[in-house]
mmCIF file of all heavy atoms in Angstrom:
data_model
loop_
_atom_site.group_PDB
_atom_site.id
_atom_site.type_symbol
_atom_site.label_atom_id
_atom_site.label_comp_id
_atom_site.label_asym_id
_atom_site.label_seq_id
_atom_site.Cartn_x
_atom_site.Cartn_y
_atom_site.Cartn_z
ATOM 1 N N SER A 2 -24.002 -26.493 0.743
ATOM 2 C CA SER A 2 -24.027 -24.991 0.701
ATOM 3 C C SER A 2 -23.265 -24.573 -0.509
ATOM 4 O O SER A 2 -22.435 -25.159 -1.015
ATOM 5 C CB SER A 2 -23.403 -24.470 1.975
ATOM 6 O OG SER A 2 -22.066 -24.835 1.992
ATOM 7 N N ARG A 16 -13.791 -0.829 2.491
ATOM 8 C CA ARG A 16 -13.475 0.372 3.304
ATOM 9 C C ARG A 16 -12.468 1.180 2.565
ATOM 10 O O ARG A 16 -11.928 0.790 1.537
ATOM 11 C CB ARG A 16 -12.881 0.014 4.636
ATOM 12 C CG ARG A 16 -11.451 -0.679 4.553
ATOM 13 C CD ARG A 16 -10.951 -0.867 6.020
ATOM 14 N NE ARG A 16 -9.529 -1.396 5.993
ATOM 15 C CZ ARG A 16 -8.524 -0.628 5.996
ATOM 16 N NH1 ARG A 16 -8.573 0.589 5.998
ATOM 17 N NH2 ARG A 16 -7.252 -1.221 6.008
ATOM 18 N N CYS A 60 11.458 -4.049 -9.984
ATOM 19 C CA CYS A 60 10.447 -4.611 -10.893
ATOM 20 C C CYS A 60 9.468 -3.538 -11.449
ATOM 21 O O CYS A 60 8.844 -2.792 -10.591
ATOM 22 C CB CYS A 60 9.535 -5.626 -10.173
ATOM 23 S SG CYS A 60 10.484 -7.049 -9.578
#
Side-chain angles (χ1 to χ4, degrees):
S2 64
R16 70 175 182 90
C60 298

